[in-house]
Structure formats: structure tokens, C-alpha cells
Short mmCIF file of all heavy atoms in Angstrom, two decimals:
data_model
loop_
_atom_site.label_atom_id
_atom_site.label_comp_id
_atom_site.label_asym_id
_atom_site.label_seq_id
_atom_site.Cartn_x
_atom_site.Cartn_y
_atom_site.Cartn_z
N MET A 165 7.54 -1.59 4.52
CA MET A 165 6.26 -1.33 5.19
C MET A 165 5.52 -0.20 4.47
O MET A 165 6.13 0.77 4.04
CB MET A 165 6.51 -0.86 6.62
CG MET A 165 6.63 -1.97 7.63
SD MET A 165 6.23 -1.32 9.27
CE MET A 165 7.43 -2.16 10.24
N SER A 166 4.23 -0.33 4.38
CA SER A 166 3.43 0.75 3.79
C SER A 166 3.29 1.89 4.80
O SER A 166 3.59 1.73 5.98
CB SER A 166 2.04 0.22 3.45
OG SER A 166 1.32 -0.05 4.64
N GLY A 167 2.81 3.02 4.31
CA GLY A 167 2.60 4.15 5.21
C GLY A 167 1.65 3.80 6.33
O GLY A 167 1.84 4.20 7.48
N ARG A 168 0.63 3.02 5.98
CA ARG A 168 -0.34 2.63 7.01
C ARG A 168 0.31 1.75 8.08
O ARG A 168 0.11 1.94 9.27
CB ARG A 168 -1.48 1.89 6.35
CG ARG A 168 -2.47 1.39 7.37
CD ARG A 168 -3.60 0.68 6.70
NE ARG A 168 -4.52 0.22 7.70
CZ ARG A 168 -5.71 -0.29 7.43
NH1 ARG A 168 -6.10 -0.35 6.18
NH2 ARG A 168 -6.48 -0.69 8.37
N GLU A 169 1.13 0.78 7.63
CA GLU A 169 1.80 -0.09 8.59
C GLU A 169 2.74 0.71 9.48
O GLU A 169 2.84 0.48 10.69
CB GLU A 169 2.57 -1.19 7.87
CG GLU A 169 1.66 -2.26 7.31
CD GLU A 169 2.40 -3.23 6.41
OE1 GLU A 169 3.32 -2.80 5.69
OE2 GLU A 169 2.06 -4.41 6.43
N LEU A 170 3.46 1.66 8.86
CA LEU A 170 4.37 2.49 9.64
C LEU A 170 3.59 3.30 10.67
O LEU A 170 3.98 3.41 11.83
CB LEU A 170 5.15 3.44 8.72
CG LEU A 170 6.23 2.77 7.88
CD1 LEU A 170 6.65 3.70 6.74
CD2 LEU A 170 7.42 2.41 8.73
N PHE A 171 2.47 3.87 10.21
CA PHE A 171 1.68 4.70 11.11
C PHE A 171 1.17 3.89 12.30
O PHE A 171 1.12 4.38 13.42
CB PHE A 171 0.49 5.31 10.35
CG PHE A 171 -0.28 6.31 11.19
CD1 PHE A 171 0.19 7.60 11.34
CD2 PHE A 171 -1.44 5.93 11.83
CE1 PHE A 171 -0.50 8.51 12.13
CE2 PHE A 171 -2.15 6.84 12.61
CZ PHE A 171 -1.67 8.13 12.77
N GLU A 172 0.82 2.63 12.02
CA GLU A 172 0.24 1.81 13.08
C GLU A 172 1.27 1.01 13.87
O GLU A 172 1.00 0.58 14.99
CB GLU A 172 -0.83 0.88 12.48
CG GLU A 172 -2.00 1.68 11.93
CD GLU A 172 -3.06 0.82 11.22
OE1 GLU A 172 -2.90 -0.40 11.16
OE2 GLU A 172 -4.03 1.42 10.74
N LYS A 173 2.47 0.78 13.27
CA LYS A 173 3.41 -0.15 13.90
C LYS A 173 4.86 0.30 13.99
O LYS A 173 5.69 -0.44 14.53
CB LYS A 173 3.40 -1.48 13.14
CG LYS A 173 2.04 -2.13 13.13
CD LYS A 173 2.09 -3.45 12.38
CE LYS A 173 0.69 -4.00 12.25
NZ LYS A 173 0.40 -4.59 10.96
N ALA A 174 5.20 1.46 13.49
CA ALA A 174 6.61 1.87 13.48
C ALA A 174 7.18 1.91 14.88
O ALA A 174 6.46 2.06 15.86
CB ALA A 174 6.76 3.24 12.83
N ALA A 175 8.49 1.79 14.97
CA ALA A 175 9.21 1.94 16.24
C ALA A 175 8.71 0.98 17.31
O ALA A 175 8.17 1.38 18.35
CB ALA A 175 9.15 3.38 16.74
N GLY A 176 8.86 -0.30 17.05
CA GLY A 176 8.59 -1.29 18.08
C GLY A 176 7.14 -1.66 18.28
O GLY A 176 6.76 -2.17 19.31
N GLY A 177 6.31 -1.42 17.26
CA GLY A 177 4.96 -1.95 17.30
C GLY A 177 3.87 -1.00 17.75
O GLY A 177 2.70 -1.35 17.71
N THR A 178 4.23 0.19 18.17
CA THR A 178 3.18 1.10 18.65
C THR A 178 2.82 2.15 17.62
O THR A 178 1.68 2.58 17.53
CB THR A 178 3.64 1.82 19.93
OG1 THR A 178 4.90 2.45 19.66
CG2 THR A 178 3.78 0.85 21.07
N GLY A 179 3.79 2.56 16.83
CA GLY A 179 3.51 3.51 15.76
C GLY A 179 3.05 4.86 16.24
O GLY A 179 3.18 5.22 17.42
N CYS A 180 2.50 5.62 15.31
CA CYS A 180 1.97 6.95 15.61
C CYS A 180 0.57 6.82 16.18
O CYS A 180 0.10 7.69 16.91
CB CYS A 180 1.92 7.78 14.33
SG CYS A 180 3.31 7.54 13.22
N ALA A 181 -0.10 5.72 15.81
CA ALA A 181 -1.50 5.54 16.17
C ALA A 181 -1.70 5.46 17.67
O ALA A 181 -2.75 5.85 18.19
CB ALA A 181 -2.06 4.29 15.50
N MET A 182 -0.68 4.98 18.38
CA MET A 182 -0.80 4.84 19.83
C MET A 182 -1.23 6.17 20.46
O MET A 182 -2.04 6.19 21.38
CB MET A 182 0.53 4.40 20.41
CG MET A 182 0.54 4.31 21.92
SD MET A 182 2.12 3.71 22.54
CE MET A 182 3.01 5.24 22.67
N CYS A 183 -0.66 7.27 19.99
CA CYS A 183 -0.98 8.58 20.57
C CYS A 183 -1.99 9.35 19.72
O CYS A 183 -2.87 10.03 20.26
CB CYS A 183 0.28 9.42 20.72
SG CYS A 183 1.45 8.72 21.92
N HIS A 184 -1.84 9.29 18.41
CA HIS A 184 -2.69 10.12 17.54
C HIS A 184 -3.99 9.39 17.16
O HIS A 184 -4.86 10.01 16.55
CB HIS A 184 -1.93 10.52 16.28
CG HIS A 184 -0.81 11.48 16.56
ND1 HIS A 184 -1.00 12.82 16.75
CD2 HIS A 184 0.52 11.26 16.75
CE1 HIS A 184 0.16 13.41 17.00
NE2 HIS A 184 1.11 12.48 17.02
N GLY A 185 -4.08 8.10 17.49
CA GLY A 185 -5.26 7.34 17.13
C GLY A 185 -5.13 6.74 15.76
O GLY A 185 -4.43 7.26 14.90
N VAL A 186 -5.82 5.62 15.53
CA VAL A 186 -5.67 4.88 14.29
C VAL A 186 -6.20 5.70 13.10
O VAL A 186 -5.76 5.52 11.96
CB VAL A 186 -6.34 3.50 14.42
CG1 VAL A 186 -7.84 3.58 14.29
CG2 VAL A 186 -5.75 2.52 13.42
N ASN A 187 -7.10 6.63 13.35
CA ASN A 187 -7.60 7.50 12.28
C ASN A 187 -6.87 8.85 12.24
O ASN A 187 -7.26 9.73 11.50
CB ASN A 187 -9.09 7.76 12.46
CG ASN A 187 -9.88 6.49 12.31
OD1 ASN A 187 -9.64 5.71 11.39
ND2 ASN A 187 -10.83 6.25 13.20
N ALA A 188 -5.82 9.00 13.09
CA ALA A 188 -5.03 10.22 13.16
C ALA A 188 -5.83 11.43 13.62
O ALA A 188 -5.41 12.56 13.40
CB ALA A 188 -4.31 10.51 11.82
N ARG A 189 -6.97 11.18 14.26
CA ARG A 189 -7.79 12.30 14.71
C ARG A 189 -7.34 12.87 16.04
O ARG A 189 -7.88 13.85 16.52
CB ARG A 189 -9.26 11.86 14.81
CG ARG A 189 -9.88 11.64 13.45
CD ARG A 189 -11.23 10.98 13.53
NE ARG A 189 -11.65 10.56 12.21
CZ ARG A 189 -12.63 11.13 11.51
NH1 ARG A 189 -13.32 12.13 12.00
NH2 ARG A 189 -12.93 10.70 10.30
N GLY A 190 -6.34 12.21 16.63
CA GLY A 190 -5.78 12.75 17.87
C GLY A 190 -6.50 12.27 19.11
O GLY A 190 -7.51 11.55 19.05
N GLY A 191 -5.93 12.64 20.25
CA GLY A 191 -6.59 12.43 21.52
C GLY A 191 -6.45 11.05 22.13
O GLY A 191 -6.95 10.81 23.22
N ALA A 192 -5.73 10.13 21.46
CA ALA A 192 -5.62 8.79 22.04
C ALA A 192 -4.79 8.81 23.31
O ALA A 192 -5.14 8.19 24.30
CB ALA A 192 -5.03 7.82 21.02
N GLN A 193 -3.67 9.54 23.29
CA GLN A 193 -2.80 9.64 24.48
C GLN A 193 -2.05 10.95 24.46
O GLN A 193 -1.76 11.50 23.40
CB GLN A 193 -1.77 8.52 24.48
CG GLN A 193 -2.26 7.25 25.12
CD GLN A 193 -1.10 6.32 25.43
OE1 GLN A 193 -0.18 6.66 26.15
NE2 GLN A 193 -1.16 5.12 24.87
N LEU A 194 -1.71 11.45 25.63
CA LEU A 194 -0.85 12.63 25.78
C LEU A 194 -1.38 13.85 25.02
O LEU A 194 -0.62 14.68 24.56
CB LEU A 194 0.57 12.33 25.27
CG LEU A 194 1.33 11.19 25.95
CD1 LEU A 194 2.65 10.95 25.24
CD2 LEU A 194 1.57 11.52 27.42
N SER A 195 -2.69 13.95 24.85
CA SER A 195 -3.27 15.08 24.11
C SER A 195 -2.68 15.25 22.72
O SER A 195 -2.52 16.36 22.25
CB SER A 195 -3.12 16.41 24.85
OG SER A 195 -3.32 16.24 26.21
N ALA A 196 -2.31 14.16 22.10
CA ALA A 196 -1.77 14.26 20.74
C ALA A 196 -2.84 14.83 19.80
O ALA A 196 -4.00 14.45 19.88
CB ALA A 196 -1.34 12.88 20.25
N PRO A 197 -2.45 15.79 18.95
CA PRO A 197 -3.43 16.48 18.10
C PRO A 197 -3.87 15.66 16.89
O PRO A 197 -3.26 14.65 16.55
CB PRO A 197 -2.67 17.73 17.65
CG PRO A 197 -1.23 17.32 17.67
CD PRO A 197 -1.09 16.34 18.80
N ASP A 198 -4.93 16.14 16.26
CA ASP A 198 -5.40 15.62 14.97
C ASP A 198 -4.32 15.93 13.93
O ASP A 198 -3.94 17.09 13.76
CB ASP A 198 -6.71 16.34 14.61
CG ASP A 198 -7.38 15.76 13.36
OD1 ASP A 198 -6.68 15.16 12.52
OD2 ASP A 198 -8.59 15.96 13.23
N ILE A 199 -3.81 14.91 13.27
CA ILE A 199 -2.74 15.15 12.28
C ILE A 199 -3.14 14.69 10.89
O ILE A 199 -2.29 14.49 10.02
CB ILE A 199 -1.41 14.50 12.71
CG1 ILE A 199 -1.59 13.01 12.96
CG2 ILE A 199 -0.83 15.20 13.91
CD1 ILE A 199 -0.27 12.25 13.06
N ARG A 200 -4.43 14.51 10.64
CA ARG A 200 -4.85 14.14 9.28
C ARG A 200 -4.40 15.22 8.32
O ARG A 200 -4.59 16.42 8.58
CB ARG A 200 -6.36 13.98 9.21
CG ARG A 200 -6.86 12.70 9.87
CD ARG A 200 -8.36 12.66 9.91
NE ARG A 200 -8.85 13.70 10.81
CZ ARG A 200 -10.09 14.19 10.79
NH1 ARG A 200 -10.96 13.73 9.93
NH2 ARG A 200 -10.45 15.12 11.64
N GLY A 201 -3.82 14.80 7.22
CA GLY A 201 -3.41 15.76 6.19
C GLY A 201 -2.17 16.55 6.55
O GLY A 201 -1.86 17.53 5.87
N ALA A 202 -1.44 16.17 7.59
CA ALA A 202 -0.22 16.91 7.96
C ALA A 202 0.79 16.85 6.82
O ALA A 202 0.97 15.81 6.18
CB ALA A 202 0.39 16.34 9.24
N THR A 203 1.46 17.95 6.58
CA THR A 203 2.48 18.02 5.53
C THR A 203 3.78 17.39 6.02
O THR A 203 3.99 17.22 7.22
CB THR A 203 2.77 19.48 5.16
OG1 THR A 203 3.21 20.14 6.36
CG2 THR A 203 1.55 20.17 4.62
N GLU A 204 4.67 17.12 5.06
CA GLU A 204 5.96 16.55 5.43
C GLU A 204 6.72 17.48 6.36
O GLU A 204 7.37 17.03 7.31
CB GLU A 204 6.77 16.26 4.15
CG GLU A 204 8.09 15.59 4.49
CD GLU A 204 8.76 14.96 3.28
OE1 GLU A 204 8.08 14.66 2.28
OE2 GLU A 204 9.99 14.76 3.37
N ASP A 205 6.65 18.78 6.12
CA ASP A 205 7.34 19.74 6.99
C ASP A 205 6.85 19.63 8.43
O ASP A 205 7.64 19.66 9.37
CB ASP A 205 7.13 21.18 6.49
CG ASP A 205 8.00 21.50 5.29
OD1 ASP A 205 8.83 20.65 4.90
OD2 ASP A 205 7.84 22.61 4.75
N ARG A 206 5.55 19.51 8.59
CA ARG A 206 4.99 19.41 9.95
C ARG A 206 5.42 18.13 10.62
O ARG A 206 5.74 18.11 11.80
CB ARG A 206 3.46 19.48 9.90
CG ARG A 206 2.94 20.88 10.10
CD ARG A 206 1.44 20.94 9.92
NE ARG A 206 0.72 20.28 11.00
CZ ARG A 206 -0.59 19.96 10.94
NH1 ARG A 206 -1.28 20.26 9.86
NH2 ARG A 206 -1.17 19.38 11.95
N VAL A 207 5.41 17.03 9.84
CA VAL A 207 5.83 15.74 10.42
C VAL A 207 7.30 15.81 10.83
O VAL A 207 7.66 15.42 11.94
CB VAL A 207 5.59 14.59 9.43
CG1 VAL A 207 6.22 13.29 9.94
CG2 VAL A 207 4.08 14.40 9.22
N ARG A 208 8.14 16.34 9.97
CA ARG A 208 9.57 16.44 10.30
C ARG A 208 9.81 17.32 11.51
O ARG A 208 10.62 17.00 12.38
CB ARG A 208 10.36 16.99 9.11
CG ARG A 208 10.57 15.97 8.01
CD ARG A 208 11.42 16.57 6.89
NE ARG A 208 11.51 15.67 5.78
CZ ARG A 208 12.36 14.62 5.72
NH1 ARG A 208 13.19 14.38 6.71
NH2 ARG A 208 12.36 13.83 4.67
N ALA A 209 9.13 18.43 11.57
CA ALA A 209 9.30 19.34 12.71
C ALA A 209 8.87 18.65 14.00
O ALA A 209 9.54 18.79 15.03
CB ALA A 209 8.49 20.63 12.49
N ALA A 210 7.77 17.90 13.93
CA ALA A 210 7.28 17.23 15.14
C ALA A 210 8.24 16.12 15.58
O ALA A 210 8.47 15.93 16.77
CB ALA A 210 5.88 16.68 14.90
N LEU A 211 8.80 15.39 14.61
CA LEU A 211 9.71 14.30 14.95
C LEU A 211 10.94 14.82 15.68
O LEU A 211 11.53 14.15 16.52
CB LEU A 211 10.13 13.54 13.69
CG LEU A 211 9.04 12.62 13.10
CD1 LEU A 211 9.46 12.11 11.73
CD2 LEU A 211 8.75 11.44 14.02
N VAL A 212 11.33 16.05 15.37
CA VAL A 212 12.49 16.64 16.04
C VAL A 212 12.07 17.34 17.33
O VAL A 212 12.73 17.23 18.36
CB VAL A 212 13.18 17.67 15.10
CG1 VAL A 212 14.31 18.37 15.84
CG2 VAL A 212 13.71 16.97 13.86
N GLY A 213 10.93 18.04 17.28
CA GLY A 213 10.58 18.94 18.38
C GLY A 213 9.71 18.35 19.48
O GLY A 213 9.68 18.89 20.58
N VAL A 214 9.00 17.28 19.21
CA VAL A 214 8.11 16.70 20.22
C VAL A 214 8.85 15.58 20.95
O VAL A 214 9.21 14.57 20.35
CB VAL A 214 6.81 16.15 19.58
CG1 VAL A 214 5.91 15.52 20.65
CG2 VAL A 214 6.07 17.25 18.83
N VAL A 215 9.14 15.80 22.22
CA VAL A 215 9.96 14.86 22.97
C VAL A 215 9.38 13.44 22.92
O VAL A 215 10.11 12.46 22.74
CB VAL A 215 10.11 15.32 24.44
CG1 VAL A 215 10.84 14.27 25.27
CG2 VAL A 215 10.87 16.64 24.48
N ALA A 216 8.07 13.32 23.05
CA ALA A 216 7.44 12.00 23.06
C ALA A 216 7.63 11.27 21.74
O ALA A 216 7.45 10.06 21.65
CB ALA A 216 5.95 12.14 23.37
N MET A 217 7.98 12.01 20.70
CA MET A 217 8.12 11.40 19.36
C MET A 217 9.57 11.21 18.96
O MET A 217 9.84 10.67 17.88
CB MET A 217 7.42 12.29 18.32
CG MET A 217 5.90 12.23 18.45
SD MET A 217 5.08 13.47 17.44
CE MET A 217 5.87 13.24 15.86
N SER A 218 10.52 11.64 19.79
CA SER A 218 11.91 11.68 19.35
C SER A 218 12.54 10.31 19.22
O SER A 218 13.61 10.16 18.66
CB SER A 218 12.73 12.56 20.30
OG SER A 218 12.65 12.05 21.60
N ARG A 219 11.88 9.26 19.74
CA ARG A 219 12.46 7.92 19.60
C ARG A 219 12.28 7.35 18.21
O ARG A 219 12.90 6.35 17.87
CB ARG A 219 11.86 6.97 20.62
CG ARG A 219 10.39 6.74 20.40
CD ARG A 219 9.79 6.12 21.68
NE ARG A 219 8.35 6.09 21.59
CZ ARG A 219 7.68 5.09 21.05
NH1 ARG A 219 8.31 4.07 20.50
NH2 ARG A 219 6.37 5.11 21.02
N PHE A 220 11.46 7.96 17.38
CA PHE A 220 11.28 7.47 16.02
C PHE A 220 12.50 7.80 15.18
O PHE A 220 12.96 8.94 15.16
CB PHE A 220 10.05 8.09 15.37
CG PHE A 220 8.78 7.55 15.93
CD1 PHE A 220 8.09 8.24 16.92
CD2 PHE A 220 8.27 6.34 15.50
CE1 PHE A 220 6.92 7.75 17.45
CE2 PHE A 220 7.09 5.84 16.04
CZ PHE A 220 6.41 6.53 17.02
N LYS A 221 13.01 6.77 14.48
CA LYS A 221 14.10 6.98 13.52
C LYS A 221 13.57 6.53 12.17
O LYS A 221 13.55 5.35 11.87
CB LYS A 221 15.33 6.14 13.90
CG LYS A 221 15.86 6.45 15.30
CD LYS A 221 16.67 7.74 15.35
CE LYS A 221 17.17 8.06 16.75
NZ LYS A 221 16.32 9.06 17.44
N LEU A 222 13.11 7.46 11.39
CA LEU A 222 12.47 7.12 10.12
C LEU A 222 13.29 7.63 8.94
O LEU A 222 13.85 8.73 9.00
CB LEU A 222 11.07 7.75 10.07
CG LEU A 222 10.11 7.28 11.18
CD1 LEU A 222 8.86 8.13 11.18
CD2 LEU A 222 9.76 5.82 11.02
N SER A 223 13.35 6.81 7.90
CA SER A 223 14.05 7.24 6.68
C SER A 223 13.18 8.24 5.93
O SER A 223 11.99 8.38 6.21
CB SER A 223 14.32 6.03 5.80
OG SER A 223 13.09 5.53 5.29
N ASP A 224 13.79 8.92 4.96
CA ASP A 224 13.02 9.86 4.12
C ASP A 224 11.85 9.14 3.47
O ASP A 224 10.74 9.68 3.40
CB ASP A 224 13.91 10.46 3.04
CG ASP A 224 14.92 11.45 3.61
OD1 ASP A 224 14.84 11.76 4.82
OD2 ASP A 224 15.78 11.91 2.85
N ALA A 225 12.10 7.91 2.97
CA ALA A 225 11.04 7.17 2.29
C ALA A 225 9.90 6.82 3.25
O ALA A 225 8.72 6.86 2.89
CB ALA A 225 11.61 5.90 1.67
N GLU A 226 10.26 6.48 4.48
CA GLU A 226 9.24 6.14 5.47
C GLU A 226 8.41 7.37 5.84
O GLU A 226 7.19 7.29 5.98
CB GLU A 226 9.91 5.54 6.72
CG GLU A 226 10.42 4.13 6.47
CD GLU A 226 11.28 3.60 7.61
OE1 GLU A 226 11.93 4.39 8.32
OE2 GLU A 226 11.31 2.37 7.78
N ILE A 227 9.07 8.50 5.99
CA ILE A 227 8.34 9.74 6.30
C ILE A 227 7.38 10.07 5.15
O ILE A 227 6.20 10.38 5.38
CB ILE A 227 9.31 10.91 6.57
CG1 ILE A 227 10.05 10.65 7.89
CG2 ILE A 227 8.55 12.24 6.63
CD1 ILE A 227 11.14 11.66 8.21
N ALA A 228 7.87 9.94 3.91
CA ALA A 228 7.01 10.23 2.76
C ALA A 228 5.80 9.29 2.74
O ALA A 228 4.67 9.71 2.44
CB ALA A 228 7.82 10.10 1.46
N ALA A 229 6.02 8.02 3.08
CA ALA A 229 4.91 7.05 3.09
C ALA A 229 3.89 7.40 4.16
O ALA A 229 2.67 7.30 3.93
CB ALA A 229 5.47 5.63 3.31
N ILE A 230 4.36 7.84 5.31
CA ILE A 230 3.43 8.22 6.38
C ILE A 230 2.65 9.47 5.97
O ILE A 230 1.43 9.54 6.19
CB ILE A 230 4.19 8.45 7.71
CG1 ILE A 230 4.69 7.10 8.25
CG2 ILE A 230 3.29 9.13 8.74
CD1 ILE A 230 5.61 7.20 9.46
N VAL A 231 3.32 10.43 5.36
CA VAL A 231 2.63 11.65 4.92
C VAL A 231 1.54 11.30 3.90
O VAL A 231 0.42 11.83 3.97
CB VAL A 231 3.64 12.67 4.33
CG1 VAL A 231 2.92 13.82 3.63
CG2 VAL A 231 4.53 13.22 5.44
N ALA A 232 1.84 10.35 3.00
CA ALA A 232 0.83 9.93 2.02
C ALA A 232 -0.35 9.27 2.73
O ALA A 232 -1.51 9.49 2.36
CB ALA A 232 1.46 8.97 1.02
N HIS A 233 -0.07 8.48 3.75
CA HIS A 233 -1.15 7.83 4.51
C HIS A 233 -2.01 8.88 5.23
O HIS A 233 -3.24 8.77 5.25
CB HIS A 233 -0.55 6.84 5.50
CG HIS A 233 -1.57 6.12 6.34
ND1 HIS A 233 -2.56 5.34 5.78
CD2 HIS A 233 -1.77 6.08 7.68
CE1 HIS A 233 -3.33 4.85 6.75
NE2 HIS A 233 -2.86 5.30 7.91
N LEU A 234 -1.37 9.90 5.79
CA LEU A 234 -2.13 10.96 6.49
C LEU A 234 -3.01 11.72 5.50
O LEU A 234 -4.12 12.15 5.85
CB LEU A 234 -1.17 11.92 7.20
CG LEU A 234 -0.40 11.31 8.38
CD1 LEU A 234 0.62 12.31 8.92
CD2 LEU A 234 -1.36 10.88 9.50
N ALA A 235 -2.54 11.87 4.26
CA ALA A 235 -3.36 12.52 3.23
C ALA A 235 -4.57 11.67 2.89
O ALA A 235 -5.69 12.19 2.72
CB ALA A 235 -2.51 12.77 1.97
N GLU A 236 -4.37 10.35 2.84
CA GLU A 236 -5.50 9.44 2.59
C GLU A 236 -6.53 9.53 3.71
O GLU A 236 -7.73 9.60 3.46
CB GLU A 236 -5.01 7.98 2.48
CG GLU A 236 -4.45 7.61 1.16
CD GLU A 236 -5.44 7.84 0.02
OE1 GLU A 236 -6.60 7.39 0.14
OE2 GLU A 236 -5.05 8.47 -0.96
N LEU A 237 -6.04 9.51 4.95
CA LEU A 237 -6.97 9.59 6.09
C LEU A 237 -7.74 10.89 6.06
O LEU A 237 -8.89 10.96 6.51
CB LEU A 237 -6.18 9.49 7.41
CG LEU A 237 -5.56 8.14 7.73
CD1 LEU A 237 -4.73 8.24 9.00
CD2 LEU A 237 -6.63 7.06 7.89
N ASN A 238 -7.13 11.93 5.52
CA ASN A 238 -7.77 13.24 5.48
C ASN A 238 -8.96 13.25 4.52
O ASN A 238 -9.83 14.12 4.62
CB ASN A 238 -6.74 14.30 5.07
CG ASN A 238 -7.16 15.69 5.50
OD1 ASN A 238 -7.86 15.86 6.49
ND2 ASN A 238 -6.72 16.69 4.75
N LYS A 239 -8.99 12.30 3.59
CA LYS A 239 -10.09 12.24 2.62
C LYS A 239 -11.29 11.49 3.20
O LYS A 239 -12.39 11.61 2.68
CB LYS A 239 -9.63 11.50 1.36
CG LYS A 239 -8.62 12.27 0.54
CD LYS A 239 -8.27 11.46 -0.71
CE LYS A 239 -6.97 11.97 -1.33
NZ LYS A 239 -6.35 10.93 -2.15
N ALA A 240 -11.06 10.67 4.22
CA ALA A 240 -12.15 9.90 4.80
C ALA A 240 -13.17 10.84 5.46
O ALA A 240 -12.77 11.85 6.02
CB ALA A 240 -11.62 8.91 5.82
N PRO A 241 -14.44 10.52 5.41
CA PRO A 241 -15.45 11.39 5.99
C PRO A 241 -15.35 11.44 7.52
O PRO A 241 -14.86 10.53 8.11
CB PRO A 241 -16.78 10.79 5.56
CG PRO A 241 -16.48 9.42 5.06
CD PRO A 241 -15.01 9.38 4.72
C1 HEC B 326 4.09 9.01 22.51
C2 HEC B 326 3.00 9.72 21.84
C3 HEC B 326 3.18 10.11 20.38
C4 HEC B 326 3.57 9.29 19.35
C5 HEC B 326 3.90 7.81 19.40
C6 HEC B 326 3.55 10.12 18.16
N1 HEC B 326 3.19 11.40 18.48
FE1 HEC B 326 2.99 12.96 17.18
N2 HEC B 326 2.58 14.20 18.74
C7 HEC B 326 2.40 13.81 20.05
C8 HEC B 326 2.08 14.98 20.87
C9 HEC B 326 1.81 14.95 22.38
C10 HEC B 326 2.06 16.08 19.99
C11 HEC B 326 1.78 17.55 20.33
C12 HEC B 326 3.02 18.20 20.87
C13 HEC B 326 2.83 19.66 21.13
O1 HEC B 326 1.85 20.25 20.68
O2 HEC B 326 3.71 20.20 21.78
C14 HEC B 326 2.37 15.56 18.66
C15 HEC B 326 2.45 16.34 17.52
C16 HEC B 326 2.58 15.84 16.22
C17 HEC B 326 2.54 16.63 15.02
C18 HEC B 326 2.39 18.15 14.95
C19 HEC B 326 0.96 18.52 14.78
C20 HEC B 326 0.84 19.99 14.38
O3 HEC B 326 -0.09 20.63 14.85
O4 HEC B 326 1.67 20.46 13.60
C21 HEC B 326 2.68 15.79 13.97
C22 HEC B 326 2.70 16.16 12.50
C23 HEC B 326 2.84 14.46 14.51
N3 HEC B 326 2.78 14.52 15.88
C24 HEC B 326 3.04 13.31 13.76
C25 HEC B 326 3.38 12.05 14.30
C26 HEC B 326 3.78 10.91 13.50
C27 HEC B 326 3.88 10.89 11.99
C28 HEC B 326 4.07 9.91 14.38
C29 HEC B 326 4.61 8.51 14.08
C30 HEC B 326 5.88 8.45 13.37
C31 HEC B 326 3.79 10.42 15.72
N4 HEC B 326 3.38 11.72 15.62
C32 HEC B 326 3.92 9.68 16.90
C33 HEC B 326 2.52 12.53 20.55
C34 HEC B 326 2.94 11.43 19.83
#
């Protein structure tokens, strides 16, 4: 899966977009923040520390792909 597919569909079809929004600008659900351009460290910390996100089981490669996708979204106007 590409970073975009993971972001939109990981973990049973809901992905990160369900809460953070398809553009990662946040606010879709549970007051999830804007995460455009989030670094790998931030993503890893959130996957461990945010209870709502703890069901995600992502490989290193999948995390890297999502981080790359968040960097792309950060370039969009
Ligand atoms: C069920 C809702 C939900 C889903 C799904 C979700 N998140 Fe989150 N995420 C949150 C919430 C809520 C917070 C804020 C938690 C807090 O501030 O305590 C958060 C915080 C974050 C942060 C930290 C932001 C910062 O300021 O450092 C990152 C990074 C993040 N999420 C990335 C992801 C990624 C990547 C995925 C998909 C693998 C994902 N999230 C899926 C709800 C969600």
C-alpha cells in the first residue's frame, strides 16, 4: 500500500483520515490535530501515546510511507 492508501485505509479501512481528515488538517473526529508535515518521531510517539490510535500496528516501512505522504500534503496550498 502507498502512504496515501495507508493514511486513508490502514487498520480495517478507516485509516488516519477518519480522525485527522483526508487532507490531514485535523478536526474530523475526536479533536484530532492538524498533522501535515508531521515527523516520523511525532507519528511514532502518537501511535504509542494516543489511546485512540493504539490499535494501529504499522511496520517501519508503513510508518515511513505515511510520513512521506504527510510531507506531500504539507506542500499543498
Ligand atoms: C480514532 C481517531 C484517530 C485516528 C484513527 C488517528 N488519530 Fe492521530 N490523533 C488523534 C487524536 C485525538 C490526537 C491528539 C491526541 C492528544 O493531543 O492527546 C492525535 C494525534 C496525532 C499526532 C500527534 C500530533 C502532534 O501534535 O504531535 C500524530 C502525528 C498523529 N495523530 C498521526 C496519526 C496517524 C499517522 C494516524 C494513522 C496511522 C492517526 N494519527 C490515526 C486521533 C486519531
